Amino acid sequence: MRPNLIDLNVFNQTISIGSYIMFNLILNPLIVIIVNIIILTKQSVSLLKAFVSSIVIVITVIIGARLTHVIIAWGYYRDFSVNPFSLSPSGFAMYGGFILSVPVLYV
């Protein structure tokens, strides 16, 4: 697999989008939003409510994935003084996002 899928030059700055970022942080949320909107609009839910619920799901998955990774790798965060709330694209446990999103869907 190629480490960088897209390399863009914008104002003399190179922006590299790797495979992890592309699939887990760009395509997955887009797929969740699109599928959720399609399913909810078929059930006669308004487009606005479907979109808002999709955004809530994506945010919940991101928060759950980060929290799960912090819990699992607490020694790393403690020993290296890494900010668990940084916006770096690494340090996500995707199953944690799923675990947190399921109860939120029922609320």
Side-chain angles (χ1 to χ4, degrees):
M1 183 178 346
R2 291 179 37 192
N4 289 332
L5 297 177
I6 299 172
D7 290 319
L8 301 171
N9 278 327
V10 179
F11 302 114
N12 294 326
Q13 296 290 327
T14 301
I15 299 173
S16 297
I17 299 177
S19 58
Y20 180 85
I21 295 170
M22 176 64 88
F23 292 113
N24 288 329
L25 300 179
I26 296 174
L27 291 179
N28 286 346
L30 280 176
I31 291 169
V32 167
I33 290 170
I34 291 168
V35 169
N36 192 40
I37 288 173
I38 290 170
I39 291 171
L40 290 179
T41 53
K42 284 185 178 182
Q43 295 178 353
S44 301
V45 176
S46 72
L47 187 61
L48 179 63
K49 286 184 180 180
F51 182 73
V52 169
S53 70
S54 298
I55 298 301
V56 168
I57 291 169
V58 168
I59 290 171
T60 303
V61 167
I62 291 171
I63 291 171
R66 178 66 79 166
L67 286 176
T68 305
H69 188 266
V70 169
I71 291 168
I72 291 170
W74 178 247
Y76 171 77
Y77 286 94
R78 183 189 63 232
D79 294 342
F80 294 105
S81 300
V82 177
N83 182 3
F85 303 108
S86 70
L87 297 177
S88 70
S90 61
F92 289 97
M94 287 304 177
Y95 54 87
F98 175 75
I99 291 169
L100 183 62
S101 67
V102 170
V104 169
L105 289 174
Y106 287 108
V107 173

